[in-house]
Amino acid sequence: MTIDELRCDLTARLGEAVEEVFTRDGHPVDDITELYQPSPAGFGGQLRLKRGRRLAWELWLEDGDSWNFHATEVVQ
């Protein structure tokens, strides 16, 4: 999966356009491997929505079968 594909997936999950994806530390992402964490297996970071809001998000594999998703607003 590319960053563009991930951005489209996150847009569909949130129902709002994702403009940019960042690492957990807030750095711009060049490759999806920068978002991976081995335990619990999944992906996460921060993102900026088209309207300017910033969210922290996690996408993790549960039971080896289904993906769970959670996002919360980052207070700046």
Side-chain angles (χ1 to χ4, degrees):
M1 178 180 283
T2 66
I3 294 298
D4 287 337
E5 291 169 332
L6 176 64
R7 194 169 43 243
C8 289
D9 181 75
L10 294 172
T11 293
R13 290 175 187 277
L14 291 167
E16 292 185 59
V18 173
E19 192 169 89
E20 195 167 358
V21 180
F22 302 93
T23 64
R24 287 173 178 80
D25 297 332
H27 296 82
V29 173
D30 294 321
D31 188 83
I32 196 161
T33 59
E34 296 174 71
L35 303 171
Y36 181 74
Q37 68 179 28
S39 180
F43 299 87
Q46 295 183 28
L47 54 86
R48 185 176 63 229
L49 300 175
K50 195 157 191 121
R51 295 186 179 151
R53 289 191 316 143
R54 198 154 180 145
L55 303 176
W57 63 276
E58 298 289 333
L59 181 66
W60 68 96
L61 189 59
E62 191 162 303
D63 299 328
D65 194 36
S66 60
W67 289 92
N68 286 325
F69 177 75
H70 179 73
T72 57
E73 193 151 358
V74 174
V75 179
Q76 296 183 13

